[in-house]
């Protein structure tokens, strides 16, 4: 295909010659005289470029196939993924036994199961899976439903979820948070969300990410995981472990600063059929091998393929 550009003035002139009609252009002298008579500057027409597409066979106007832009993807990602699968083949990480998909009671009605999944995700924020699983076990022993939570006083609820909380002072970095503040934050969000679910959803949970993140104390990570575990719908990839590991492996075109930005970067190139697998796979890998601090690169099958390992 060849791109042909023509000046619009040339196109119009050609059309005029072909039809024998049209105004003759002013000569330079005539233009000056005309300008003096009117005391106004002579207006000259803008020249515009007309772009035509010429097919390779010489026929103008023939339709051309749209240009295919290659999608960026990281180098060696398939081999890296295969190695991670091999390292995770035993499925013995904490997330494999104590994650949100293992924290609800399978004998209760589906809407109660979904509520328990959401509650476990709310408790899991900045909390180890083992601690979340212990809190969920104590809550289920009392009959964990929207109604039971709303009927439980704040002090009792705080004792049941102990020691779940923001132990690193994430809400107030310059202060040491006391247990009262921690439990008040968790209890407040749980109570507010439970009340909304009772009033608007009949004790069930919303079935969309926008509605889930509108609930008090529910962020994007929780919402996407709730969609996957509670509703069986893969809506996105997001987790702190995934964020860290994706950047270490070079799975983002440029360094990302938050899990949400990492999710967007991964979903641009990672095949959708892998979205459901990648979260649990990388979370367990992050718990056992690619640790936040002092990663175990010497035992990792990706040590020769990982940019971060090469820099250590």
């Amino acid at each position: 295909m060849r791109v042909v550009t023509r000046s619009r003035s040339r196109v119009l002139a050609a059309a005029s010659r072909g039809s024998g009609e049209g105004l003759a252009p002013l000569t330079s002298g005539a233009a000056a005289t005309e300008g003096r008579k009117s005391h106004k500057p002579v207006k000259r027409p803008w020249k515009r470029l007309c772009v035509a597409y010429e097919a390779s066979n010489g026929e103008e106007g023939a339709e051309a196939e749209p240009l295919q832009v290659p999608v960026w993807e990281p180098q060696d990602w398939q081999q890296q993924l295969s190695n991670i699968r091999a390292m995770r083949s035993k499925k013995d990480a904490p997330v494999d036994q104590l994650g949100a998909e293992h924290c609800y009671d399978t004998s209760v009605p589906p809407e109660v199961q979904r509520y328990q999944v959401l509650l476990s995700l709310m408790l899991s924020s900045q909390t180890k899976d083992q601690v979340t699983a212990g809190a969920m076990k104590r809550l289920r022993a009392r009959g964990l439903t929207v109604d039971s939570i709303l009927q439980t006083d704040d002090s009792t609820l705080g004792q049941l979820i102990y020691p779940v909380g923001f132990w690193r002072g994430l809400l107030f970095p310059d202060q040491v948070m006391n247990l009262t503040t921690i439990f008040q934050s968790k209890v407040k969000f749980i109570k507010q969300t439970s009340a909304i679910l009772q009033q608007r959803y009949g004790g069930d949970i919303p079935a969309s990410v926008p509605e889930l993140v509108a609930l008090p104390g529910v962020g994007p990570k929780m919402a996407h995981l709730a969609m996957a575990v509670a509703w069986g719908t893969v809506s996105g990839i997001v987790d702190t472990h995934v964020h860290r590991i994706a950047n270490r492996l070079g799975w983002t075109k440029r360094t990302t600063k938050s899990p949400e930005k990492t999710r967007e970067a991964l979903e641009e190139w990672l095949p959708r059929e892998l979205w459901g697998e990648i979260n649990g796979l990388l979370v367990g890998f992050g718990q056992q091998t690619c640790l936040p601090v002092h990663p175990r690169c010497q035992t990792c099958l990706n040590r020769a393929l990982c940019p971060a390992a090469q820099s250590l």
Side-chain angles (χ1 to χ4, degrees):
M1 176 181 295
R2 188 160 59 91
V3 179
V4 180
T5 60
R6 301 187 182 91
S7 167
R8 184 173 180 83
S9 59
R10 290 175 56 193
V11 174
L12 293 174
S16 298
R17 287 195 301 271
S19 62
E21 299 177 356
L23 296 175
L26 291 172
T27 63
S28 58
T33 303
E34 183 67 23
R36 285 193 297 272
K37 289 179 180 179
S38 63
H39 304 287
K40 294 181 181 178
V42 178
K43 293 183 179 179
R44 300 184 183 276
W46 287 93
K47 285 189 176 182
R48 298 180 182 178
L49 289 179
C50 296
V51 181
Y53 293 90
E54 219 174 63
S56 56
N57 60 4
E59 294 181 2
E60 291 194 18
E63 288 190 6
E65 294 182 2
L67 181 64
Q68 297 294 326
V69 180
V71 177
W72 177 89
E73 63 179 34
Q75 184 179 8
D76 300 322
W77 74 269
Q78 292 177 317
Q79 184 60 55
Q80 291 170 333
L81 179 60
S82 178
N83 290 340
I84 294 173
R85 284 172 175 157
M87 289 183 280
R88 291 277 287 113
S89 59
K90 293 183 180 179
K91 295 190 179 299
D92 53 359
V95 69
D96 297 314
Q97 307 298 326
L98 305 170
E101 58 267 43
H102 303 289
C103 286
Y104 63 89
D105 186 352
T106 58
S107 65
V108 298
E111 65 273 15
V112 178
Q113 293 181 29
R114 290 189 285 267
Y115 171 68
Q116 292 183 1
V117 168
L118 180 61
L119 196 63
S120 71
L121 291 170
M122 294 179 69
L123 293 174
S124 70
S125 178
Q126 300 298 322
T127 303
K128 291 184 177 181
D129 289 334
Q130 298 91 324
V131 176
T132 300
M136 285 297 295
K137 184 177 180 180
R138 291 188 293 274
L139 290 170
R140 291 200 313 271
R142 296 170 58 92
L144 181 52
T145 65
V146 169
D147 291 336
S148 69
I149 288 295
L150 292 176
Q151 293 169 7
T152 303
D153 63 83
D154 292 2
S155 177
T156 301
L157 183 56
Q159 293 173 9
L160 289 171
I161 68 175
Y162 174 87
V164 168
F166 296 91
W167 286 103
R168 295 182 180 178
L170 295 181
L171 293 181
F172 304 99
D174 300 328
Q175 304 174 10
V176 177
M177 293 182 61
N178 56 48
L179 291 180
T180 302
T181 304
I182 296 170
F183 292 143
Q184 283 178 346
S185 299
K186 289 287 186 178
V187 169
K188 179 182 69 175
F189 289 145
I190 291 172
K191 284 291 189 72
Q192 289 176 343
T193 290
S194 297
I196 293 172
L197 297 180
Q198 183 188 61
Q199 296 166 7
R200 301 181 187 175
Y201 299 96
D204 207 338
I205 71 172
S208 72
V209 170
E211 289 178 290
L212 284 165
V213 297
L215 297 171
V218 178
K221 170 189 172 180
M222 300 178 201
H224 286 293
L225 288 176
M227 289 298 297
V229 179
W231 291 109
T233 300
V234 178
S235 58
I237 311 162
V238 59
D239 188 90
T240 304
H241 290 286
V242 176
H243 167 58
R244 178 180 72 254
I245 295 168
N247 277 275
R248 284 180 176 176
L249 289 174
W251 282 11
T252 57
K253 196 170 184 178
R254 56 186 60 84
T255 302
T256 53
K257 301 298 184 180
S258 69
E260 184 63 14
K261 291 297 182 183
T262 301
R263 178 186 68 80
E264 295 173 0
L266 287 175
E267 291 175 4
E268 286 182 358
W269 67 266
L270 187 69
R272 191 177 181 90
E273 59 267 22
L274 297 177
W275 290 9
E277 174 192 14
I278 206 71
N279 196 77
L281 192 69
L282 293 190
V283 169
F285 179 58
Q287 291 176 335
Q288 294 181 309
T289 304
C290 198
L291 306 177
V293 181
H294 305 304
R296 298 165 183 168
C297 298
Q298 294 304 315
T299 62
C300 180
L301 298 180
N302 283 325
R303 60 185 177 275
L305 300 174
C306 177
Q310 302 302 311
S311 64
L312 294 177

Coordinates of all heavy atoms in Angstrom, one line a residue, residues 233-304:
T233 N -16.4 -16.0 39.5 CA -16.1 -15.1 38.4 C -14.8 -14.5 38.5 O -14.5 -13.8 39.4 CB -17.2 -14.0 38.3 OG1 -18.5 -14.6 38.2 CG2 -17.0 -13.1 37.1
V234 N -13.9 -14.7 37.5 CA -12.6 -14.1 37.5 C -12.7 -12.7 36.9 O -13.0 -12.5 35.7 CB -11.6 -15.0 36.7 CG1 -10.2 -14.3 36.6 CG2 -11.5 -16.3 37.2
S235 N -12.5 -11.7 37.7 CA -12.7 -10.3 37.3 C -11.4 -9.6 37.2 O -11.3 -8.5 36.7 CB -13.7 -9.6 38.2 OG -13.2 -9.6 39.6
G236 N -10.3 -10.1 37.8 CA -9.0 -9.4 37.7 C -8.0 -10.1 38.6 O -8.3 -11.1 39.3
I237 N -6.8 -9.6 38.5 CA -5.6 -10.2 39.2 C -5.2 -9.1 40.2 O -4.8 -8.0 39.7 CB -4.5 -10.5 38.3 CG1 -5.0 -11.3 37.1 CG2 -3.4 -11.2 39.0 CD1 -4.1 -11.4 35.9
V238 N -5.1 -9.4 41.4 CA -4.6 -8.3 42.3 C -4.2 -9.0 43.7 O -5.0 -9.7 44.3 CB -5.6 -7.2 42.5 CG1 -6.9 -7.6 43.1 CG2 -5.0 -6.1 43.4
D239 N -3.0 -8.7 44.1 CA -2.6 -9.2 45.4 C -1.2 -8.6 45.7 O -0.5 -8.3 44.8 CB -2.5 -10.7 45.5 CG -2.2 -11.2 46.9 OD1 -3.2 -11.4 47.7 OD2 -1.0 -11.3 47.3
T240 N -0.9 -8.4 47.0 CA 0.4 -7.8 47.3 C 1.6 -8.7 46.8 O 2.6 -8.2 46.3 CB 0.5 -7.5 48.8 OG1 -0.6 -6.7 49.2 CG2 1.8 -6.9 49.2
H241 N 1.4 -10.0 47.0 CA 2.4 -10.9 46.5 C 2.6 -10.8 45.0 O 3.7 -10.8 44.5 CB 2.1 -12.4 46.9 CG 2.2 -12.6 48.4 ND1 3.4 -12.7 49.0 CD2 1.2 -12.8 49.4 CE1 3.2 -13.0 50.3 NE2 1.9 -13.0 50.5
V242 N 1.4 -10.8 44.3 CA 1.5 -10.7 42.8 C 2.2 -9.4 42.4 O 3.0 -9.4 41.5 CB 0.0 -10.8 42.2 CG1 0.1 -10.6 40.7 CG2 -0.6 -12.1 42.6
H243 N 1.8 -8.3 43.1 CA 2.5 -7.0 42.8 C 4.0 -7.1 42.9 O 4.7 -6.7 42.0 CB 1.9 -6.0 43.7 CG 2.6 -4.7 43.8 ND1 2.8 -3.9 42.6 CD2 3.2 -4.0 44.8 CE1 3.5 -2.8 43.0 NE2 3.7 -2.9 44.3
R244 N 4.5 -7.7 44.0 CA 5.9 -7.7 44.2 C 6.6 -8.7 43.2 O 7.6 -8.3 42.6 CB 6.1 -8.3 45.7 CG 7.6 -8.4 46.0 CD 7.8 -8.9 47.4 NE 7.4 -10.3 47.6 CZ 6.3 -10.7 48.2 NH1 5.4 -9.9 48.7 NH2 6.1 -12.0 48.3
I245 N 6.0 -9.9 43.0 CA 6.7 -10.9 42.2 C 6.7 -10.5 40.7 O 7.6 -10.7 40.0 CB 6.0 -12.2 42.4 CG1 6.2 -12.7 43.9 CG2 6.5 -13.3 41.4 CD1 5.4 -13.9 44.3
A246 N 5.6 -9.9 40.3 CA 5.5 -9.5 38.9 C 6.5 -8.4 38.6 O 7.2 -8.5 37.5 CB 4.1 -8.9 38.6
N247 N 6.8 -7.5 39.5 CA 7.9 -6.5 39.3 C 9.2 -7.2 39.3 O 10.1 -6.8 38.5 CB 7.7 -5.4 40.3 CG 6.7 -4.3 39.9 OD1 7.0 -3.4 39.1 ND2 5.5 -4.5 40.4
R248 N 9.4 -8.1 40.2 CA 10.7 -8.8 40.3 C 11.0 -9.6 39.0 O 12.2 -9.6 38.5 CB 10.8 -9.7 41.5 CG 11.0 -8.9 42.8 CD 11.0 -9.9 44.0 NE 11.2 -9.2 45.3 CZ 11.3 -9.8 46.5 NH1 11.0 -11.1 46.5 NH2 11.5 -9.1 47.5
L249 N 10.0 -10.2 38.5 CA 10.2 -11.1 37.3 C 10.3 -10.3 36.0 O 10.6 -10.8 34.9 CB 9.1 -12.1 37.2 CG 9.1 -13.2 38.2 CD1 7.8 -14.1 38.1 CD2 10.3 -14.1 38.1
G250 N 9.9 -9.0 36.1 CA 9.9 -8.2 34.9 C 8.6 -8.4 34.1 O 8.6 -8.3 32.8
W251 N 7.5 -8.8 34.7 CA 6.2 -9.0 34.1 C 5.4 -7.8 33.8 O 4.3 -7.9 33.3 CB 5.4 -10.0 34.9 CG 5.9 -11.4 34.7 CD1 7.0 -11.9 34.1 CD2 5.2 -12.6 35.1 NE1 7.1 -13.2 34.2 CE2 6.0 -13.7 34.8 CE3 4.0 -12.9 35.8 CZ2 5.7 -15.0 35.1 CZ3 3.6 -14.2 36.1 CH2 4.5 -15.3 35.7
T252 N 6.0 -6.6 34.2 CA 5.3 -5.4 33.8 C 6.2 -4.6 32.9 O 7.5 -4.6 33.1 CB 5.0 -4.5 35.1 OG1 6.2 -4.3 35.8 CG2 4.0 -5.3 36.0
K253 N 5.6 -3.9 32.0 CA 6.4 -3.1 31.0 C 7.3 -2.1 31.6 O 8.4 -1.8 31.2 CB 5.5 -2.5 30.0 CG 6.2 -2.0 28.7 CD 5.2 -1.6 27.6 CE 5.9 -1.2 26.3 NZ 4.9 -0.8 25.3
R254 N 6.8 -1.5 32.7 CA 7.6 -0.6 33.5 C 7.3 -0.8 35.0 O 6.2 -1.4 35.3 CB 7.3 0.9 33.1 CG 5.9 1.3 33.2 CD 5.7 2.7 32.6 NE 6.1 2.8 31.2 CZ 5.4 2.4 30.2 NH1 4.1 2.0 30.4 NH2 5.8 2.6 29.0
T255 N 8.1 -0.4 35.9 CA 7.9 -0.6 37.3 C 6.5 0.0 37.8 O 6.3 1.1 37.4 CB 9.0 -0.1 38.2 OG1 10.2 -0.7 37.7 CG2 8.8 -0.3 39.6
T256 N 5.7 -0.8 38.5 CA 4.5 -0.3 39.0 C 4.6 0.0 40.5 O 5.3 -0.7 41.2 CB 3.3 -1.3 38.7 OG1 3.7 -2.6 39.2 CG2 3.1 -1.4 37.2
K257 N 3.8 0.9 40.9 CA 3.9 1.4 42.3 C 2.8 0.9 43.3 O 2.9 1.1 44.5 CB 3.9 2.9 42.4 CG 5.0 3.6 41.6 CD 6.4 3.2 42.1 CE 7.5 3.9 41.4 NZ 8.8 3.5 41.9
S258 N 1.8 0.2 42.7 CA 0.7 -0.3 43.5 C 0.1 -1.6 43.0 O 0.3 -1.8 41.7 CB -0.4 0.7 43.6 OG -1.1 0.9 42.4
P259 N -0.5 -2.4 43.8 CA -1.1 -3.6 43.3 C -2.1 -3.4 42.2 O -2.3 -4.2 41.2 CB -1.8 -4.2 44.5 CG -1.0 -3.8 45.7 CD -0.6 -2.4 45.3
E260 N -2.9 -2.3 42.3 CA -3.9 -2.0 41.3 C -3.2 -1.7 39.9 O -3.7 -2.1 38.9 CB -4.7 -0.8 41.7 CG -5.9 -0.4 40.8 CD -6.9 -1.5 40.6 OE1 -6.9 -2.4 41.4 OE2 -7.7 -1.4 39.7
K261 N -2.1 -0.9 39.9 CA -1.4 -0.6 38.7 C -0.8 -1.9 38.1 O -0.7 -2.1 36.9 CB -0.3 0.4 38.9 CG -0.8 1.8 39.2 CD -1.6 2.4 38.0 CE -2.1 3.8 38.3 NZ -2.9 4.3 37.2
T262 N -0.3 -2.8 39.0 CA 0.2 -4.1 38.5 C -0.9 -4.9 37.9 O -0.7 -5.6 36.8 CB 0.8 -4.9 39.7 OG1 1.8 -4.1 40.3 CG2 1.4 -6.2 39.3
R263 N -2.1 -4.9 38.5 CA -3.2 -5.7 37.9 C -3.5 -5.2 36.4 O -3.6 -6.0 35.5 CB -4.5 -5.5 38.7 CG -5.7 -6.2 38.2 CD -6.9 -5.9 39.0 NE -7.3 -4.5 38.8 CZ -8.0 -4.0 37.8 NH1 -8.3 -4.8 36.8 NH2 -8.3 -2.7 37.7
E264 N -3.5 -3.9 36.3 CA -3.8 -3.3 35.0 C -2.7 -3.7 34.0 O -3.0 -4.0 32.8 CB -3.9 -1.8 35.1 CG -5.1 -1.3 35.9 CD -5.0 0.2 36.1 OE1 -4.1 0.9 35.6 OE2 -5.9 0.8 36.7
A265 N -1.4 -3.7 34.4 CA -0.3 -4.0 33.5 C -0.3 -5.5 33.1 O -0.1 -5.8 32.0 CB 1.0 -3.7 34.2
L266 N -0.6 -6.3 34.1 CA -0.7 -7.8 33.8 C -1.8 -8.1 32.8 O -1.7 -8.9 31.9 CB -0.8 -8.6 35.1 CG 0.4 -8.7 36.0 CD1 0.1 -9.4 37.3 CD2 1.6 -9.4 35.2
E267 N -3.0 -7.5 33.0 CA -4.1 -7.8 32.2 C -4.0 -7.3 30.8 O -4.8 -7.8 29.9 CB -5.4 -7.3 32.9 CG -5.7 -8.0 34.2 CD -6.9 -7.4 34.9 OE1 -7.5 -6.4 34.4 OE2 -7.2 -7.8 36.0
E268 N -3.0 -6.5 30.5 CA -2.8 -6.0 29.2 C -2.2 -7.1 28.3 O -2.4 -7.1 27.1 CB -1.9 -4.8 29.2 CG -2.5 -3.5 29.7 CD -1.6 -2.3 29.6 OE1 -0.4 -2.6 29.2 OE2 -2.0 -1.2 29.9
W269 N -1.5 -8.1 28.9 CA -0.8 -9.1 28.1 C -1.0 -10.5 28.5 O -1.0 -11.4 27.7 CB 0.7 -8.8 28.0 CG 1.4 -9.0 29.4 CD1 1.7 -8.1 30.3 CD2 1.9 -10.3 29.9 NE1 2.3 -8.6 31.4 CE2 2.4 -10.0 31.2 CE3 1.9 -11.6 29.4 CZ2 3.0 -11.0 31.9 CZ3 2.5 -12.6 30.2 CH2 3.1 -12.2 31.5
L270 N -1.3 -10.7 29.8 CA -1.5 -12.1 30.3 C -2.8 -12.7 29.8 O -3.8 -12.1 29.9 CB -1.5 -12.1 31.8 CG -1.4 -13.5 32.5 CD1 -0.1 -14.2 32.2 CD2 -1.7 -13.4 34.0
P271 N -2.7 -13.9 29.1 CA -3.9 -14.5 28.6 C -5.0 -14.7 29.7 O -4.7 -15.1 30.8 CB -3.5 -15.9 28.1 CG -2.0 -15.7 27.8 CD -1.5 -14.7 28.8
R272 N -6.2 -14.3 29.4 CA -7.3 -14.3 30.4 C -7.5 -15.7 31.0 O -7.9 -15.8 32.2 CB -8.6 -13.8 29.7 CG -9.7 -13.5 30.8 CD -10.9 -12.9 30.2 NE -11.9 -12.6 31.2 CZ -12.0 -11.5 31.8 NH1 -11.2 -10.5 31.5 NH2 -12.9 -11.3 32.8
E273 N -7.3 -16.7 30.3 CA -7.5 -18.1 30.8 C -6.5 -18.4 32.0 O -6.7 -19.3 32.7 CB -7.4 -19.1 29.8 CG -6.0 -19.2 29.1 CD -6.0 -18.4 27.8 OE1 -6.8 -17.4 27.7 OE2 -5.1 -18.7 26.9
L274 N -5.5 -17.5 32.2 CA -4.5 -17.7 33.3 C -4.9 -16.9 34.5 O -4.2 -17.0 35.5 CB -3.1 -17.4 32.8 CG -2.5 -18.3 31.7 CD1 -1.2 -17.9 31.3 CD2 -2.5 -19.8 32.2
W275 N -5.8 -15.9 34.4 CA -6.1 -15.0 35.5 C -6.5 -15.7 36.7 O -6.1 -15.4 37.8 CB -7.2 -14.0 35.0 CG -6.7 -13.0 34.0 CD1 -5.6 -13.0 33.3 CD2 -7.5 -11.9 33.6 NE1 -5.5 -12.0 32.4 CE2 -6.7 -11.2 32.6 CE3 -8.7 -11.3 33.9 CZ2 -7.1 -10.1 31.9 CZ3 -9.1 -10.2 33.3 CH2 -8.3 -9.5 32.3
G276 N -7.3 -16.8 36.6 CA -7.8 -17.5 37.7 C -6.8 -18.2 38.5 O -6.8 -18.4 39.7
E277 N -5.8 -18.7 37.8 CA -4.7 -19.5 38.4 C -3.6 -18.6 39.0 O -3.0 -19.0 40.0 CB -4.0 -20.4 37.3 CG -2.8 -21.1 37.7 CD -2.0 -21.8 36.6 OE1 -2.3 -21.4 35.4 OE2 -1.2 -22.6 36.9
I278 N -3.3 -17.5 38.4 CA -2.1 -16.8 38.7 C -2.1 -16.2 40.1 O -1.0 -16.2 40.8 CB -1.9 -15.6 37.7 CG1 -0.4 -15.3 37.6 CG2 -2.7 -14.4 38.0 CD1 0.4 -16.3 36.9
N279 N -3.2 -15.8 40.6 CA -3.3 -15.2 42.0 C -2.8 -16.2 43.0 O -1.9 -16.0 43.8 CB -4.7 -14.7 42.3 CG -4.6 -13.7 43.5 OD1 -4.3 -12.6 43.3 ND2 -5.1 -14.2 44.6
G280 N -3.5 -17.4 43.1 CA -3.1 -18.4 44.2 C -1.7 -18.9 43.9 O -1.0 -19.2 44.9
L281 N -1.3 -19.0 42.7 CA 0.0 -19.6 42.4 C 1.1 -18.7 42.9 O 2.0 -19.1 43.6 CB 0.1 -19.7 40.8 CG 1.3 -20.5 40.3 CD1 1.2 -22.0 40.7 CD2 1.4 -20.4 38.8
L282 N 1.0 -17.4 42.6 CA 2.0 -16.4 43.0 C 1.9 -16.1 44.5 O 3.0 -15.8 45.1 CB 1.9 -15.1 42.2 CG 2.2 -15.2 40.7 CD1 2.3 -13.9 40.1 CD2 3.5 -16.0 40.5
V283 N 0.7 -16.1 45.1 CA 0.6 -15.9 46.5 C 1.4 -17.0 47.3 O 2.2 -16.7 48.2 CB -0.8 -15.8 47.0 CG1 -0.9 -15.8 48.5 CG2 -1.5 -14.6 46.5
G284 N 1.2 -18.2 47.0 CA 1.9 -19.3 47.6 C 3.4 -19.2 47.3 O 4.2 -19.5 48.2
F285 N 3.8 -18.9 46.1 CA 5.2 -18.7 45.8 C 5.8 -17.6 46.6 O 7.0 -17.7 47.0 CB 5.3 -18.4 44.3 CG 6.7 -18.2 43.8 CD1 7.6 -19.2 43.9 CD2 7.0 -17.0 43.1 CE1 8.9 -19.0 43.4 CE2 8.3 -16.8 42.6 CZ 9.3 -17.8 42.8
G286 N 5.1 -16.5 46.8 CA 5.6 -15.4 47.6 C 5.7 -15.8 49.1 O 6.5 -15.2 49.8
Q287 N 4.8 -16.7 49.6 CA 4.9 -17.1 51.0 C 6.0 -18.1 51.2 O 6.6 -18.1 52.4 CB 3.6 -17.8 51.4 CG 2.4 -16.8 51.4 CD 1.1 -17.6 51.7 OE1 0.9 -18.7 51.4 NE2 0.1 -16.8 52.3
Q288 N 6.5 -18.8 50.2 CA 7.5 -19.9 50.4 C 8.8 -19.5 49.9 O 9.9 -19.9 50.5 CB 7.0 -21.2 49.8 CG 5.8 -21.8 50.5 CD 5.3 -23.1 49.9 OE1 5.2 -23.2 48.7 NE2 5.2 -24.1 50.7
T289 N 8.9 -18.9 48.7 CA 10.2 -18.7 48.1 C 10.5 -17.2 47.8 O 11.5 -16.7 48.3 CB 10.2 -19.4 46.7 OG1 9.9 -20.8 46.9 CG2 11.5 -19.3 46.0
C290 N 9.6 -16.5 47.1 CA 9.9 -15.1 46.8 C 9.4 -14.2 47.9 O 8.5 -13.4 47.7 CB 9.2 -14.8 45.4 SG 9.9 -13.3 44.7
L291 N 10.0 -14.3 49.0 CA 9.6 -13.6 50.2 C 9.8 -12.1 50.1 O 10.6 -11.6 49.3 CB 10.4 -14.1 51.4 CG 10.4 -15.6 51.7 CD1 11.3 -16.0 52.9 CD2 9.0 -16.1 51.9
P292 N 9.0 -11.3 50.8 CA 9.1 -9.9 50.8 C 10.5 -9.4 51.1 O 11.1 -8.5 50.5 CB 8.1 -9.4 51.8 CG 7.1 -10.5 51.9 CD 7.9 -11.7 51.7
V293 N 11.1 -10.0 52.2 CA 12.5 -9.7 52.6 C 13.3 -11.0 52.6 O 12.8 -12.0 53.0 CB 12.4 -9.1 54.1 CG1 13.8 -8.8 54.5 CG2 11.5 -7.9 54.2
H294 N 14.5 -10.9 52.1 CA 15.4 -12.0 51.9 C 14.8 -13.1 51.1 O 14.6 -14.2 51.6 CB 15.8 -12.5 53.3 CG 16.5 -11.5 54.2 ND1 17.5 -10.7 53.8 CD2 16.1 -11.0 55.5 CE1 17.9 -9.9 54.8 NE2 17.0 -10.0 55.8
P295 N 14.4 -12.9 49.9 CA 13.9 -14.0 49.0 C 14.9 -15.1 48.9 O 16.1 -14.9 48.9 CB 13.6 -13.2 47.7 CG 14.5 -12.1 47.7 CD 14.6 -11.6 49.1
R296 N 14.4 -16.3 48.7 CA 15.2 -17.5 48.7 C 15.6 -17.8 47.2 O 15.2 -18.8 46.6 CB 14.5 -18.7 49.3 CG 14.2 -18.5 50.8 CD 13.2 -19.4 51.3 NE 12.9 -19.2 52.7 CZ 11.9 -19.7 53.4 NH1 11.0 -20.5 52.8 NH2 11.7 -19.4 54.7
C297 N 16.4 -16.9 46.6 CA 16.8 -17.0 45.2 C 17.6 -18.2 44.9 O 17.6 -18.7 43.8 CB 17.5 -15.7 44.8 SG 16.5 -14.2 44.9
Q298 N 18.4 -18.6 45.9 CA 19.3 -19.8 45.6 C 18.6 -21.1 45.4 O 19.1 -22.0 44.7 CB 20.3 -19.9 46.8 CG 21.3 -18.8 47.0 CD 22.1 -18.5 45.7 OE1 22.6 -19.4 45.1 NE2 22.1 -17.2 45.3
T299 N 17.4 -21.2 45.9 CA 16.6 -22.4 45.7 C 15.5 -22.2 44.6 O 14.7 -23.2 44.4 CB 15.9 -22.8 47.0 OG1 15.0 -21.8 47.5 CG2 17.0 -23.1 48.1
C300 N 15.4 -21.0 44.0 CA 14.4 -20.8 43.0 C 14.8 -21.2 41.7 O 15.9 -21.0 41.2 CB 14.1 -19.2 43.0 SG 12.8 -18.8 41.8
L301 N 13.9 -21.9 41.0 CA 14.2 -22.4 39.6 C 14.3 -21.3 38.6 O 14.8 -21.5 37.5 CB 13.1 -23.4 39.2 CG 12.9 -24.6 40.0 CD1 11.8 -25.5 39.4 CD2 14.2 -25.4 40.0
N302 N 13.9 -20.1 39.0 CA 13.9 -18.9 38.1 C 15.1 -18.0 38.3 O 15.2 -16.9 37.8 CB 12.7 -18.1 38.2 CG 11.5 -18.7 37.5 OD1 11.7 -19.3 36.4 ND2 10.3 -18.5 38.0
R303 N 16.1 -18.5 39.1 CA 17.2 -17.6 39.5 C 18.0 -17.1 38.3 O 18.5 -16.0 38.3 CB 18.1 -18.3 40.5 CG 18.8 -19.6 40.0 CD 19.6 -20.3 41.1 NE 20.1 -21.5 40.7 CZ 19.5 -22.7 40.7 NH1 18.2 -22.7 41.2 NH2 20.1 -23.8 40.3
A304 N 18.1 -17.9 37.2 CA 18.8 -17.5 36.0 C 18.0 -16.6 35.1 O 18.5 -16.0 34.2 CB 19.4 -18.7 35.3

